Amino acid sequence: MNQITLQAHAKINLTLDVTGKLENGYHTVKMVMQSLALHDDVTITRGTANGIQMKSNLRFLPTDDSNLAVRAAMLLLKETGIKNDGIHIQLFKRIPVAAGLAGGSTNAAAVLRALNKLYDIDLSMDDLCEIGLKIGADVPYCLHGGSMLAEGIGEILTPLPPMPNCHVIVCKPSFSVVTAKIYARMNGGKLPLRPDTAGMIQALENADYPAICHRLFNVMETVTGVDHTEIKEIEDTLLESGADGAVMSGSGPTVFGLFSNFDKAKLAMQTLKTHYRETYLTTILREPNKIL
C-alpha cells in the first residue's frame, strides 16, 4: 500500500470552560467535545518524490510547514526515525478555516494516522497522541474523535457515552478570530459564569437530548461574542428557526445549532446561507476513530 485517504472530521464544543493559566502561558480547560460528520478528505501518498509536498483545493491555504498537516508529517518522521521516501498530501477542505472547529488539528491527526499505516510503524493511539500534542492541543482529541471530556490543556481525554443522533447546522461568519488573543482576555480562568460540565456528562450518560441542548455553554463566547454581535444574531436565527440549542464552538466565530427535526434544520440552513456562505447541514458522528 502506498496511498490512503482518510476523512478528517470537524469538532464542536458542547461545553467549554477555561479553568486556569499555567506558568508557561498555556490555559487549562475543561470541555466536552463532539465529532461531526462534516469532514475534509486527506489523501496521503508515499514514494512520490523527495521531501514533503502538499496541495489543497483552497488557494489561500499554506502548503509549507506552517500548515499543521505538513508539520505532522515532518514530526512523525523525526520522532520515529523513518526515512522519508517522498510524501504527498492532497487536502480537500470542507471544514471552514480558522473557525473553532479544529480543521487544522483534524488534518494533522489524519496525517499521523495515515502515515502510521503506510509505513507500518505500529504506533499505539497513546503514542500518536504524544506526538500530536507537540503539534497542537486539539490534535490528541482529533486522533480519537467521538464524544470526549478534555482537560489539562486539552490532552487529558476521557471517553463519554455517544451523543444522541441529531442534525447540526454549522455557520461561520465572514470574519475570523485569533485564539491566542481570546485566551489572553479570559482573566486566567477567573470567570463569573461556567458551564455545567458535570450536568452535560450526566445528560450524555442518560442519552437525554433535551438536557444536552439546555446545557450548551462556552465561556469564550463572553469575549468573542462581545466583539462580534453577529455571533448572537446567528444563534438567535438558529433558535427562531427551531434549533433545540445553539452556541459558539471553540474560540469562534462558528456557531452551531442542534436540531431534532430535519425539515427545521434544512430551513435554518437555507435562511442562514443567504447571508453566510459557509453554512452547512451535518450530523454528529457517534463512533470514535480507530487505529488503522
Side-chain angles (χ1 to χ4, degrees):
M1 177 186 292
N2 67 350
Q3 185 179 91
I4 189 169
T5 298
L6 293 182
Q7 295 182 352
H9 292 272
K11 65 84 182 168
I12 52 176
N13 297 89
L14 302 181
T15 66
L16 196 163
D17 194 6
V18 178
T19 57
K21 186 175 182 180
L22 303 175
E23 291 183 0
N24 61 10
Y26 282 93
H27 285 76
T28 55
V29 295
K30 190 171 187 177
M31 50 192 180
V32 177
M33 316 266 271
Q34 175 62 52
S35 297
L36 297 180
L38 176 66
H39 66 275
D40 297 336
D41 291 325
V42 183
T43 299
I44 310 294
T45 308
R46 61 169 291 192
T48 57
N50 292 326
I52 299 171
Q53 300 176 344
M54 177 179 166
K55 289 186 178 180
S56 169
N57 61 314
L58 299 183
R59 292 185 178 181
F60 65 84
L61 204 68
T63 56
D64 57 12
D65 60 6
S66 65
N67 189 292
L68 296 188
V70 174
R71 200 177 304 170
M74 294 173 63
L75 187 59
L76 187 73
L77 294 177
K78 178 182 177 181
E79 294 285 328
T80 60
I82 297 294
K83 182 181 178 181
N84 181 1
D85 60 355
I87 295 172
H88 185 269
I89 303 170
Q90 182 70 46
L91 179 59
F92 188 89
K93 291 289 294 179
R94 297 182 186 87
I95 303 170
V97 176
L101 299 172
S105 294
T106 195
N107 296 155
V111 168
L112 293 177
R113 294 175 64 230
L115 293 180
N116 191 41
K117 176 68 173 180
L118 287 176
Y119 285 92
D120 294 317
I121 306 172
D122 201 28
L123 294 176
S124 68
M125 184 64 83
D126 287 345
D127 294 332
L128 290 173
C129 286
E130 186 176 343
I131 295 172
L133 185 60
K134 297 177 181 179
I135 303 165
D138 280 341
V139 177
Y141 166 75
C142 292
L143 283 161
H144 283 277
S147 306
M148 288 267 182
L149 172 67
E151 299 176 276
I153 62 170
E155 86 286 12
I156 303 172
L157 300 170
T158 304
L160 297 174
M163 183 177 170
N165 285 317
C166 65
H167 309 286
V168 185
I169 294 293
V170 174
C171 178
K172 180 187 181 290
S174 57
F175 59 89
S176 297
V177 300
V178 179
T179 300
K181 291 183 178 180
I182 303 300
Y183 269 115
R185 294 167 58 191
M186 296 307 298
N187 195 26
K190 299 174 183 177
L191 306 169
L193 294 174
R194 296 191 180 281
D196 180 9
T197 308
M200 179 62 78
I201 294 170
Q202 187 66 55
L204 286 169
E205 290 175 347
N206 295 338
D208 188 341
Y209 175 72
I212 291 169
C213 295
H214 180 68
R215 287 171 172 79
L216 298 175
F217 190 78
N218 179 350
V219 297
M220 300 189 88
E221 190 173 334
T222 62
V223 173
T224 310
V226 169
D227 292 344
H228 303 283
T229 57
E230 277 183 275
I231 289 171
K232 180 66 163 56
E233 291 169 3
I234 294 170
E235 285 182 4
D236 288 343
T237 299
L238 286 165
L239 293 170
E240 291 165 4
S241 300
D244 303 306
V247 74
M248 188 184 81
S249 183
S251 60
T254 299
V255 176
F256 68 90
L258 304 181
F259 291 78
S260 54
N261 184 291
F262 174 77
D263 291 334
K264 289 181 179 179
K266 185 176 180 181
L267 182 60
M269 180 191 69
Q270 293 169 346
T271 300
L272 286 167
K273 195 89 170 177
T274 61
H275 300 287
Y276 303 104
R277 180 178 59 85
E278 292 186 287
T279 302
Y280 303 90
L281 172 56
T282 185
T283 60
I284 57 110
L285 193 69
R286 290 168 56 89
E287 294 298 322
N289 296 323
K290 297 178 181 178
I291 289 288
L292 299 177

